[in-house]
Amino acid sequence: MIEKVPTQAAAIRQSLVAQISTGSLAASAKLPSERDLSELFSTTRITVKQALLRLEAEGCIYRENRRGWFVTPSRLEYNPITKSHFHLMVERQQRKVVTKVISASTELASPELCQKMALAPGSKLHRIRRLRYVDNRAVMFVAHYLKPGIFPGILERDLSQSLTLIYQEHYGIQYGRSSFDIYPTAAYGSVASHLKLAEGSPLLLITRINYDQTGQVIDCDREFWRHDAVRISVDSQILVTDIARL
Amino acid sequence: MIEKVPTQAAAIRQSLVAQISTGSLAASAKLPSERDLSELFSTTRITVKQALLRLEAEGCIYRENRRGWFVTPSRLEYNPITKSHFHLMVERQQRKVVTKVISASTELASPELCQKMALAPGSKLHRIRRLRYVDNRAVMFVAHYLKPGIFPGILERDLSQSLTLIYQEHYGIQYGRSSFDIYPTAAYGSVASHLKLAEGSPLLLITRINYDQTGQVIDCDREFWRHDAVRISVDSQILVTDIARL
DNA sequence: GAGTGGTCTAGACCACTGA
DNA sequence: CAGTGGTCTAGACCACTCT
């Protein structure tokens, strides 16, 4: 059996992985600076950086722009098809959750959105952009697109609470079915800056389209997730139960 | 309005994006070499490489180990909850598909698998590893774990065809419900080499657990997808129909 | 053997964060 | 202000692929 000689970057990665799994680097702990690491391993910053970038891709560590590298906390388990409130879902997992409203306005719908939501070209939509924090870390940036006709005056309400709740209480609307798709890509521009990601960092884009009880499109969510913050989990059993309840 | 000065890497990225979207670099086309690009943009290979790595994270381009960079072909649309044959699904999208068997053996199940599949610790499982190509590009490496008691002699069969079909025809087993989870991470070792990915490249790990009509666990699939080869798409409507049929 | 990306050296200056 | 990562230079040699 021929043993491959590991590259320096691989050796650095291994060493850090070991420290993380034994707990000598705990969750959310800060790693030594790139300069310190390159001295420790007698190499250059570029080599260290390559090891760090791989660990980042794996989801073991993450960085905050010019603040340093940290050990990634455990991931959120997320089922995009459940209709329960986001806050409830997170708190069930013993995590702290905060939602911050970034903007709320009415905009011309893009051609792609018109197609996805079965709208006439040139339709307008309410756009609500929010940022979600789990344990004080920004993990998801979401843009909700709502049909204005269904939700008069909704932009004047307190949008930091659950939209599902507002739909129910003020507009008598409940979700029926929904569909979603998951698209792995990279973060740029406002998404990157809100999530404090470096430009070009890996990202999970989840697009959901929600329908009411009668099958009409209600809204569309575009969720931009840190790739290392979530594990998507879907069980058809739950769906069966949900449907049986209707 | 203050315009940010784009970095060189961002400018290179923009230029390549433009060429890809206008079609002057078509799908699957080879990009100029890193050395040529660094001359073209009057910069170093490292700067060029950073631009290329970002485009790779986005899913616009991909590399084959030491062969060069290529424009990513369009993604496969994939619904992990459907029970149809993989080949059928791919061919419906006008793509060519090939499945290659990598190995077939009986192994001790790992503790995690025992838990996931509700097995006694120390149980054995058939492990079938296969590699799937779409349009001659390796896009997914999968390990199937089967309960040996249910599938006597299956390892001696032709495993390059649909397992679903073999289950039905030779063992009278049909899928009932299934659950899956999606975990973004990075490729290492045999997964990376089979998919011809560089170590530490982004990857989508989809773990499926399939149950038969009576709710017993049949098998577990661990699918390692190139992150740029797929868009996951789930519609609860389809599930409703499926269940109504039962 | 020529061409490609993979890895690495040994620095430099810049932009931003936080005390 | 010091410390951090972000970006960049100008090279080098290695490992692998393809012709």
Side-chain angles (χ1 to χ4, degrees):
Chain A
M1 181 84 189
I2 296 164
E3 277 292 321
K4 268 201 185 178
V5 179
T7 62
Q8 285 187 61
I12 297 170
R13 176 180 162 262
Q14 277 305 338
S15 159
L16 291 171
V17 165
Q19 286 182 66
I20 292 168
S21 60
T22 63
S24 63
L25 276 171
S28 303
K30 187 174 183 307
L31 272 64
S33 75
E34 295 181 0
R35 285 171 180 83
D36 287 354
L37 286 171
S38 53
E39 266 195 41
L40 266 170
F41 292 99
S42 317
T43 182
T44 59
R45 257 183 82 200
I46 289 188
T47 304
V48 166
K49 187 143 202 154
Q50 190 164 30
L52 294 171
L53 288 171
R54 287 180 182 182
L55 283 164
E56 183 190 39
E58 244 174 297
C60 292
I61 62 173
Y62 71 100
R63 47 188 157 165
E64 291 186 18
N65 215 310
R66 290 169 220 271
R67 289 215 329 116
W69 292 88
F70 302 85
V71 178
T72 311
S74 70
R75 302 196 189 204
L76 209 63
E77 190 167 319
Y78 177 48
N79 184 343
I81 225 150
T82 54
K83 289 102 189 171
S84 80
H85 315 153
F86 192 85
H87 282 235
L88 213 60
M89 181 270 287
V90 178
E91 280 160 3
R92 264 202 210 106
Q93 299 180 43
Q94 277 86 50
R95 314 289 287 264
K96 202 189 95 187
V97 55
V98 170
T99 300
K100 205 172 96 184
V101 178
I102 304 293
S103 74
S105 59
T106 308
E107 313 271 348
L108 201 63
S110 69
E112 306 90 80
L113 264 181
C114 287
Q115 207 219 314
K116 271 187 187 293
M117 297 181 67
L119 300 172
S123 299
K124 292 199 163 187
L125 288 172
H126 291 328
R127 183 182 67 170
I128 303 168
R129 294 192 301 165
R130 309 199 291 183
L131 191 54
R132 308 201 110 142
Y133 296 80
V134 170
D135 294 339
N136 299 315
R137 178 176 172 232
V139 297
M140 191 250 276
F141 177 79
V142 54
H144 307 270
Y145 297 92
L146 284 61
K147 282 193 175 175
I150 310 184
F151 301 105
I154 197 169
L155 299 188
E156 280 70 50
R157 297 187 183 276
D158 172 13
L159 299 171
S160 65
Q161 55 172 306
S162 161
L163 288 186
T164 318
L165 211 61
I166 298 178
Y167 288 5
Q168 265 183 40
E169 295 194 343
H170 298 284
Y171 301 94
I173 284 175
Q174 279 192 307
Y175 285 146
R177 73 178 181 99
S178 66
S179 65
F180 66 91
D181 68 54
I182 301 177
Y183 192 91
T185 185
Y188 289 99
S190 63
V191 173
S193 61
H194 282 302
L195 291 174
K196 287 191 185 165
L197 287 169
E199 297 273 310
S201 298
L203 189 84
L204 222 53
L205 168 55
I206 303 184
T207 306
R208 287 209 298 170
I209 300 181
N210 299 304
Y211 304 81
D212 69 6
Q213 304 95 317
T214 71
Q216 293 299 301
V217 174
I218 301 173
D219 65 2
C220 171
D221 302 340
R222 288 170 65 81
E223 303 178 345
F224 301 87
W225 284 87
R226 291 190 69 108
H227 81 292
D228 61 357
V230 70
R231 183 175 80 244
I232 312 294
S233 177
V234 176
D235 189 333
S236 66
Q237 179 82 77
I238 290 164
L239 288 161
V240 175
T241 321
D242 261 11
I243 289 150
R245 202 173 39 76
L246 293 180
Chain B
M1 181 79 190
I2 296 163
E3 276 292 321
K4 268 201 185 176
V5 179
T7 61
Q8 285 187 63
I12 297 171
R13 175 178 162 264
Q14 278 304 339
S15 160
L16 291 172
V17 164
Q19 286 182 65
I20 292 168
S21 61
T22 63
S24 62
L25 276 171
S28 303
K30 186 174 184 310
L31 272 64
S33 75
E34 295 181 0
R35 285 172 180 82
D36 288 353
L37 286 170
S38 54
E39 266 196 43
L40 267 169
F41 291 99
S42 317
T43 183
T44 59
R45 256 183 81 200
I46 288 188
T47 305
V48 166
K49 187 140 201 155
Q50 189 164 30
L52 294 172
L53 288 171
R54 287 179 180 182
L55 283 164
E56 183 191 38
E58 247 175 295
C60 292
I61 62 174
Y62 71 100
R63 47 187 157 164
E64 291 186 15
N65 214 311
R66 291 169 219 271
R67 291 215 328 117
W69 292 89
F70 303 85
V71 178
T72 311
S74 70
R75 302 196 189 202
L76 208 64
E77 191 167 317
Y78 176 48
N79 184 343
I81 223 149
T82 54
K83 290 103 189 171
S84 79
H85 314 153
F86 192 86
H87 282 236
L88 213 61
M89 182 270 287
V90 178
E91 279 159 4
R92 265 203 208 103
Q93 298 180 45
Q94 278 86 50
R95 313 290 285 265
K96 202 189 95 186
V97 55
V98 170
T99 300
K100 206 172 96 184
V101 178
I102 304 293
S103 74
S105 59
T106 309
E107 313 270 348
L108 201 63
S110 70
E112 306 89 80
L113 264 181
C114 286
Q115 208 219 315
K116 271 187 189 292
M117 297 180 67
L119 299 172
S123 298
K124 292 200 162 187
L125 288 171
H126 290 328
R127 183 181 69 171
I128 302 168
R129 295 191 301 164
R130 309 197 291 183
L131 191 55
R132 309 200 110 142
Y133 296 80
V134 170
D135 294 339
N136 299 317
R137 178 176 170 234
V139 297
M140 190 251 275
F141 177 79
V142 55
H144 306 270
Y145 296 91
L146 284 62
K147 282 193 175 175
I150 310 184
F151 301 106
I154 198 170
L155 299 187
E156 279 70 51
R157 297 186 184 277
D158 172 15
L159 299 170
S160 65
Q161 55 172 306
S162 160
L163 289 185
T164 319
L165 211 62
I166 297 179
Y167 288 5
Q168 266 182 41
E169 295 195 342
H170 298 283
Y171 302 93
I173 284 174
Q174 278 192 308
Y175 285 147
R177 73 179 181 98
S178 65
S179 66
F180 65 92
D181 69 53
I182 301 177
Y183 193 91
T185 185
Y188 289 100
S190 62
V191 172
S193 61
H194 282 301
L195 291 173
K196 286 191 186 168
L197 287 169
E199 297 274 309
S201 298
L203 189 85
L204 222 53
L205 168 56
I206 304 184
T207 305
R208 287 209 297 170
I209 300 181
N210 299 305
Y211 304 80
D212 68 7
Q213 304 96 316
T214 70
Q216 292 301 302
V217 174
I218 301 174
D219 65 2
C220 171
D221 301 341
R222 288 170 65 81
E223 303 179 345
F224 300 87
W225 283 87
R226 292 190 67 110
H227 81 294
D228 61 358
V230 70
R231 182 174 83 245
I232 312 293
S233 176
V234 176
D235 190 334
S236 66
Q237 179 82 78
I238 290 164
L239 288 162
V240 176
T241 321
D242 261 11
I243 289 150
R245 200 172 41 74
L246 293 181

